[in-house]
């Protein structure tokens, strides 16, 4: 009997549905024991969010400051796992606070050490640098990263901003104004995620994880946009400046966060299109560099 642990945190239920679909082929295998662990906060974050609480989570999210979690059930800790499927979302270009808090816990070290791991993210579109941060924490915990699946919203960058924000603040996954596409990972992609479970189960049964990522890539588990990687890197640089400004003045936190929101709106709707135009103009001169970028972020190795 092989033991598989499915770790996830899900507010809206989207990532839980993805986790269920990927795990289904393993659950159906009588030779595999699948255990689910839902990361829970001592003080839960709200869903739907309100504007103040949403942006108040920014500094701690980006700086990867852990918060208190409910204890991991002893029944989960008592098993030695052959594989861990680790599901996470991206908050402000970093792994979400619940996920980051778990990865920095002693329990994570106990569960992850010397254990093959497949990371699965569900995000709007920019997961690249968040995955690098997850990689670093997995390495600190002695985990063996063997695969990565990145499911994203397929809508255009600016369209998805509108639809995701509406979803986060309303709690309703529906077509905004009746004309915008549904927010988040498409239902087709969620339903189709079962194919990854079949591939993962084959690797598990043969105990051959070294070629797993290549097989997942054949199933389009990861798509990389050099433009979005560049935006992600620029965003991380700017966010690092903002978090320093905000955390150094706790007495002005609310005011500084309001200013940050104004900056963020301008960056998304004014600066981002300009960056995209510049990216397209310079693309022919950077083809080799872009190919290296795509190859790197499709893989599971660390820089």
């Amino acid at each position: 009997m092989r033991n598989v642990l499915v770790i996830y945190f899900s507010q809206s239920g989207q990532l839980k549905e993805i986790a269920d679909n990927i795990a289904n082929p393993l659950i159906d295998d009588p030779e595999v024991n699948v255990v689910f662990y839902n990361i829970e906060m001592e003080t839960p974050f709200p869903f739907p969010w309100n504007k103040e609480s949403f942006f108040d989570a920014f500094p701690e999210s980006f700086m990867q400051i852990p918060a208190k979690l409910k204890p991991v059930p002893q029944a989960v800790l008592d098993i030695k796992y052959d594989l861990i499927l680790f599901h996470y979302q991206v908050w402000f270009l970093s792994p979400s606070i619940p996920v980051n808090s778990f990865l920095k816990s002693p329990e994570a070290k106990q569960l992850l050490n010397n254990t093959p791991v497949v990371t699965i993210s569900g995000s709007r579109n920019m997961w690249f640098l968040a995955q690098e941060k997850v990689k670093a924490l997995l390495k600190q915990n002695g985990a063996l990263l063997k695969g990565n699946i990145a499911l994203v919203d397929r809508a255009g960058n600016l369209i998805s901003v509108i639809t995701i924000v509406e979803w986060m603040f309303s709690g309703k996954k529906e077509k905004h104004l009746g004309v915008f596409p549904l927010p988040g990972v498409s239902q087709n992609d969620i339903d189709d995620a079962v194919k990854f479970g079949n591939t993962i189960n084959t690797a598990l049964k043969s105990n051959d994880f070294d070629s797993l990522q290549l097989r997942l890539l054949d199933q389009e588990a990861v798509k990389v946009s050099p433009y979005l990687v560049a935006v992600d890197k620029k965003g991380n640089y700017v966010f690092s400046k903002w978090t320093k400004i905000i955390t150094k003045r706790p007495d002005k936190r609310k005011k500084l966060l309001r200013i940050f929101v104004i900056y963020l709106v301008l960056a998304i709707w004014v600066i981002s299109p300009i960056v995209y135009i510049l990216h397209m103009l310079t693309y022919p001169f950077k083809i080799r560099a872009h190919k290296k970028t795509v190859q790197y972020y499709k893989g599971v190795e660390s820089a």
Side-chain angles (χ1 to χ4, degrees):
M1 181 68 71
R2 298 178 188 273
N3 295 308
V4 176
L5 177 61
V6 179
I7 299 175
Y8 71 95
F9 168 78
S10 183
Q11 286 180 299
S12 68
Q14 175 179 269
L15 203 58
K16 175 61 165 63
E17 188 176 3
I18 291 168
D20 286 341
N21 285 346
I22 292 176
N24 274 340
L26 292 92
I27 293 172
D28 291 341
D29 190 326
E31 296 181 358
V32 179
N33 173 44
V34 180
V35 177
F36 284 80
Y37 165 52
N38 174 26
I39 300 171
E40 295 184 272
M41 306 295 299
E42 275 197 4
T43 303
F45 289 96
F47 189 82
W49 294 82
N50 59 59
K51 184 177 178 180
E52 183 176 356
S53 62
F54 181 80
F55 289 105
D56 190 56
F58 160 62
E60 287 72 22
S61 293
F62 183 77
M63 296 175 73
Q64 296 182 259
I65 297 174
K68 289 186 178 180
L69 301 175
K70 289 184 178 181
V72 179
Q74 191 61 42
V76 173
L77 295 173
D78 285 343
I79 300 173
K80 174 57 182 174
Y81 297 96
D82 300 285
L83 174 67
I84 293 177
L85 304 182
F86 190 82
H87 302 73
Y88 73 95
Q89 312 95 333
V90 178
W91 289 8
F92 297 102
L93 307 182
S94 291
S96 70
I97 290 176
V99 165
N100 176 69
S101 300
F102 169 75
L103 287 172
K104 292 187 175 182
S105 70
E107 291 80 5
K109 181 81 170 182
Q110 177 182 337
L111 291 167
L112 293 165
N113 187 46
N114 201 33
T115 304
V117 173
V118 176
T119 48
I120 300 112
S121 60
S123 64
R124 187 174 73 86
N125 58 13
M126 283 185 283
W127 53 269
F128 314 102
L129 273 291
Q131 177 69 2
E132 292 302 292
K133 297 169 188 178
V134 168
K135 280 183 186 178
L137 291 171
L138 290 174
K139 186 175 182 179
Q140 288 177 22
N141 285 311
L144 310 173
L145 182 59
K146 297 298 184 178
N148 179 47
I149 299 166
L151 300 179
V152 300
D153 190 326
R154 290 179 179 267
N157 188 36
L158 297 181
I159 294 296
S160 66
V161 169
I162 297 171
T163 58
I164 292 292
V165 168
E166 177 63 23
W167 182 21
M168 294 300 99
F169 290 168
S170 71
K172 298 177 181 178
K173 190 173 184 178
E174 58 188 18
K175 291 186 176 183
H176 182 47
L177 302 177
V179 295
F180 284 86
L182 284 171
V185 179
S186 75
Q187 192 60 49
N188 284 342
D189 287 346
I190 293 173
D191 294 340
D192 199 36
V194 68
K195 67 185 180 185
F196 302 128
N198 286 315
T199 300
I200 290 168
N201 195 34
T202 298
L204 175 68
K205 299 297 286 292
S206 63
N207 197 31
D208 177 17
F209 294 108
D210 290 340
S211 61
L212 175 59
Q213 185 61 12
L214 290 176
R215 283 177 275 164
L216 290 174
L217 290 177
D218 286 340
Q219 297 175 304
E220 298 186 323
V222 177
K223 291 186 178 180
V224 178
S225 162
Y227 161 67
L228 290 176
V229 173
V231 174
D232 200 343
K233 289 180 178 179
K234 289 182 176 67
N236 269 263
Y237 174 79
V238 173
F239 279 11
S240 68
K241 302 299 181 183
W242 272 104
T243 52
K244 288 178 183 177
I245 293 170
I246 293 168
T247 54
K248 283 181 179 178
R249 296 294 304 273
D251 56 318
K252 301 289 185 181
R253 181 181 175 106
K254 289 186 177 180
K255 181 179 180 180
L256 290 170
L257 281 170
R258 286 195 293 268
I259 297 171
F260 167 72
V261 172
I262 294 171
Y263 163 80
L264 194 60
V265 171
L266 289 173
I268 291 170
W269 294 100
V270 178
I271 300 174
S272 178
I274 294 173
V275 172
Y276 180 72
I277 292 170
L278 292 174
H279 170 78
M280 294 304 295
L281 289 174
T282 59
Y283 187 89
F285 306 102
K286 299 181 178 180
I287 291 177
R288 182 175 296 179
H290 290 327
K291 285 183 177 179
K292 288 184 179 179
T293 295
V294 170
Q295 183 179 11
Y296 175 74
Y297 286 104
K298 279 189 172 182
V300 293
E301 301 298 325
S302 298

